[in-house]
């Protein structure tokens, strides 16, 4: 076949085309590949936390951060949790102080008081007040546990958000490489007269857009890192070498009903409402012993028991609903990974074929750019599906009370 340009010029186009095909669809980053093995157990891979300084020698001294370490750090230094613990301690002290005088009363002192009302009030002061103090101490401890659960959830969310930001940054670098390769090919084709100047201009626009996206992604990494440090309660500028922990697991072995039953036995909210029922029943018992349940106080006390029972049922419904939502979201998130992988692979093949068509003069630079943008978008959606799955696992574990 005779070509309308020299062998030297044809060689420059061929080399550029080969480079385009080789880079073509691209490959996922090391951290992104963690999520492609959807059926495998949890894996651990290392991803550099400081995307802009990975080549510096001092990066070797950057502290590693695993998911477990992030949770432990948050439980130790998160300000919200520290305040909750101090509040619980202060509440316990107040309960102790308020119950000391009542605890010093003997039963003989109560019996010697004149009048039913005085007896009842004295009895409630000693027995109900003491029981109230003990139950309140339990409730204070449960409140701290509930806060700890939220902190665990928040730490994992912040950890995975940073991983996603880093993976997205790597994908944007990959996209920029493809755009720069396309520009080289377009310039080579223009030099030999097989492509118009508009093809070069379009390729230059593609590179500019890819650079802008990369800058935005780099900024997102820094913001995610500071958000994580803020939540952990450490120096906002602290650098981490993130050890990526993919929580993908085998399909859920529990049925929805089993998951709900397990949550009802583990969640601290159930313990809290049960303790409140115990206190209400104690109040009824004392009124029955020292007065009469037919009195206004007795009727009010029995109504409080009914309210406490209703609170238990309401809490059961709330927990069961929360578990069901987390259960369904987890299954949907797992399926979404497979669908997004198919879409990503299809986009990669489309990009490769569009490049081949471009090399043979059957496609424009704009078509190649559009195919690359679609591939970049699908890669991002796939990475986001992995993020959503990991967060869904975290939410499900939290809903169970683990």
């Amino acid at each position: 076949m005779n070509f309308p340009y020299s062998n030297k010029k044809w060689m420059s186009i061929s080399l550029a085309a080969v480079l385009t095909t080789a880079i073509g669809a691209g490959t996922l980053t090391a951290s992104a590949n963690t999520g492609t093995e959807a059926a495998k157990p949890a894996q651990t891979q290392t991803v550099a936390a400081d995307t802009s300084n990975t080549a510096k020698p001092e990066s070797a001294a950057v502290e590693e951060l695993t998911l477990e370490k992030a949770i432990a750090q948050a439980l130790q230094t998160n300000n919200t949790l520290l305040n909750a613990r101090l509040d619980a301690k202060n509440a316990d002290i107040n309960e102790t102080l308020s119950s000391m005088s009542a605890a010093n009363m003997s039963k003989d002192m109560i019996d010697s008081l004149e009048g039913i009302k005085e007896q009842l009030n004295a009895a409630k002061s000693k027995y109900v007040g003491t029981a109230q103090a003990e139950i309140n101490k339990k409730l204070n401890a449960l409140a701290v546990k509930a806060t700890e659960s939220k902190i665990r959830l928040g730490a994992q969310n912040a950890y995975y958000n940073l991983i996603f930001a880093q993976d997205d940054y790597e994908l944007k670098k990959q996209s920029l490489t493809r755009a720069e390769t396309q520009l080289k090919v377009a310039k080579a084709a223009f030099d030999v007269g097989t492509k118009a100047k508009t093809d070069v201009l379009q390729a230059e626009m593609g590179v500019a857009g890819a650079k802008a996206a990369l800058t935005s992604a780099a900024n997102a990494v820094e913001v995610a890192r500071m958000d994580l440090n803020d939540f952990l309660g450490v120096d906002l500028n602290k650098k981490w070498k993130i050890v990526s922990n993919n929580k993908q697991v085998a399909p859920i072995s529990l049925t929805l009903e089993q998951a709900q039953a397990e949550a009802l036995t583990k969640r601290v909210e159930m313990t809290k409402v049960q303790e409140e029922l115990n206190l209400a029943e104690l109040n009824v018992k004392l009124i029955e012993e020292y007065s009469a349940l037919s009195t206004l106080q007795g009727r009010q006390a029995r109504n409080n028991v009914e309210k406490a029972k209703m609170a238990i049922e309401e809490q059961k419904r709330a927990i069961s609903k929360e578990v069901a939502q987390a259960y369904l979201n987890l299954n949907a998130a797992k399926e979404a990974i497979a669908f997004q992988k198919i879409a990503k692979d299809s986009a990669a093949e489309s990009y490769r074929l569009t490049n081949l068509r471009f090399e043979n003069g059957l496609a424009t630079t704009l078509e190649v750019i559009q195919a690359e943008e679609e591939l970049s978008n699908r890669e991002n959606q796939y990475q986001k599906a992995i993020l959503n799955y990991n967060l869904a696992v975290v939410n499900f574990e939290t809903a169970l009370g683990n």
Side-chain angles (χ1 to χ4, degrees):
M1 180 182 294
N2 296 321
F3 294 96
Y5 36 81
S6 67
N7 290 336
K8 183 177 180 180
K9 290 184 178 180
W10 167 244
M11 180 62 69
S12 66
I13 294 179
S14 300
L15 289 174
V18 169
L19 180 58
T20 302
T21 304
I23 296 178
T27 57
L28 290 174
T29 65
S31 56
N33 276 331
T34 306
T36 60
E37 307 293 338
K40 290 186 178 180
Q43 300 179 26
T44 300
Q45 293 188 351
T46 301
V47 185
D50 186 359
T51 54
S52 60
N53 299 308
T54 53
K56 292 184 178 181
E58 58 266 25
S59 64
V62 175
E63 185 178 354
E64 286 191 347
L65 184 68
T66 63
L67 177 61
E68 294 73 18
K69 186 174 180 179
I71 296 172
Q73 182 71 57
L75 292 177
Q76 182 181 359
T77 54
N78 178 270
N79 287 333
T80 299
L81 180 55
L82 293 178
N83 284 327
R85 287 170 176 164
L86 290 174
D87 289 341
K89 289 179 180 179
N90 286 335
D92 288 347
I93 292 173
N94 290 333
E95 291 294 341
T96 300
L97 291 174
S98 63
S99 63
M100 284 179 64
S101 60
N104 291 331
M105 295 178 63
S106 66
K107 190 174 187 303
D108 292 337
M109 291 175 62
I110 296 173
D111 293 338
S112 66
L113 293 175
E114 296 181 357
I116 296 177
K117 184 175 181 180
E118 288 79 2
Q119 285 183 344
L120 176 60
N121 289 338
K124 289 176 66 177
S125 177
K126 178 176 182 179
Y127 298 118
V128 179
T130 302
Q132 177 77 67
E134 292 301 318
I135 290 176
N136 282 339
K137 288 181 180 180
K138 290 182 180 179
L139 295 178
N140 293 336
L142 292 173
V144 172
K145 286 186 177 180
T147 303
E148 288 177 350
S149 179
K150 293 178 181 178
I151 296 306
R152 286 190 183 93
L153 177 61
Q156 292 179 89
N157 284 340
Y159 173 87
Y160 280 116
N161 283 335
L162 176 56
I163 289 179
F164 173 74
Q166 290 179 162
D167 286 345
D168 186 56
Y169 176 82
E170 294 300 323
L171 291 176
K172 293 301 186 292
K173 284 203 301 185
Q174 191 171 285
S175 179
L176 175 59
T177 299
R178 291 194 294 257
E180 289 174 338
T181 300
Q182 181 59 31
L183 177 58
K184 290 179 182 178
V185 174
K187 284 182 176 180
F190 173 74
D191 289 341
V192 298
T194 59
K195 292 293 180 181
K197 180 66 175 178
T198 55
D199 288 290
V200 176
L201 294 175
Q202 289 172 340
E204 288 176 344
M205 287 188 291
V207 170
K211 287 181 177 179
L214 181 62
T215 300
S216 178
N219 181 69
V221 170
E222 290 305 303
V223 171
R225 181 179 57 80
M226 284 191 292
D227 285 343
L228 175 62
N229 288 338
D230 185 35
F231 193 89
L232 297 183
V234 299
D235 182 3
L236 291 177
N237 297 318
K238 185 175 179 61
K239 303 290 185 179
W240 296 106
K241 183 179 180 181
I242 298 295
V243 179
S244 182
N245 183 3
N246 192 343
K247 291 180 74 70
Q248 290 192 27
V249 294
I252 305 172
S253 59
L254 297 174
T255 65
L256 176 56
E257 292 73 18
Q258 290 172 332
Q260 290 171 328
E262 180 176 327
L264 292 177
T265 63
K266 290 183 176 180
R267 293 282 290 268
V268 296
E269 294 92 335
M270 290 304 303
T271 306
K272 178 178 179 294
V273 291
Q274 184 60 55
E275 289 294 341
E276 290 172 346
L277 174 60
N278 294 340
L279 181 62
E281 290 177 337
L282 175 61
N283 195 27
V284 169
K285 180 179 178 181
L286 288 172
I287 291 176
E288 185 177 20
E289 181 177 350
Y290 290 96
S291 179
L293 292 178
S294 58
T295 62
L296 292 177
Q297 285 182 315
R299 289 157 60 185
Q300 186 179 54
R302 285 185 295 180
N303 288 339
N304 288 337
V305 169
E306 293 304 314
K307 287 181 63 177
K309 290 179 178 179
M310 291 173 62
I312 290 178
E313 293 304 316
E314 184 177 356
Q315 190 64 68
K316 286 181 179 179
R317 288 169 59 87
I319 291 176
S320 296
K321 180 181 177 182
E322 184 180 339
V323 171
Q325 290 175 334
Y327 186 92
L328 295 173
N329 289 341
L330 178 56
N331 284 327
K334 190 172 184 64
E335 291 183 5
I337 291 179
F339 296 145
Q340 291 295 345
K341 186 177 186 305
I342 292 174
K344 175 182 70 70
D345 292 345
S346 296
E349 180 64 9
S350 175
Y351 175 71
R352 186 185 71 82
L353 293 176
T354 303
N355 262 313
L356 289 176
R357 291 176 60 241
F358 176 82
E359 294 165 15
N360 289 281
L362 301 176
T364 65
T365 300
L366 179 59
E367 289 176 313
V368 176
I369 292 174
Q370 290 173 337
E372 196 285 325
E373 288 177 346
E374 180 64 20
L375 172 57
S376 179
N377 179 61
R378 292 300 178 181
E379 287 174 337
N380 182 269
Q381 291 301 314
Y382 174 67
Q383 222 27 62
K384 195 164 188 176
I386 295 174
L387 168 70
N388 290 338
Y389 178 81
N390 281 290
L391 294 180
V393 173
V394 171
N395 287 325
F396 180 65
E397 292 173 344
T398 302
L400 286 180
N402 295 333

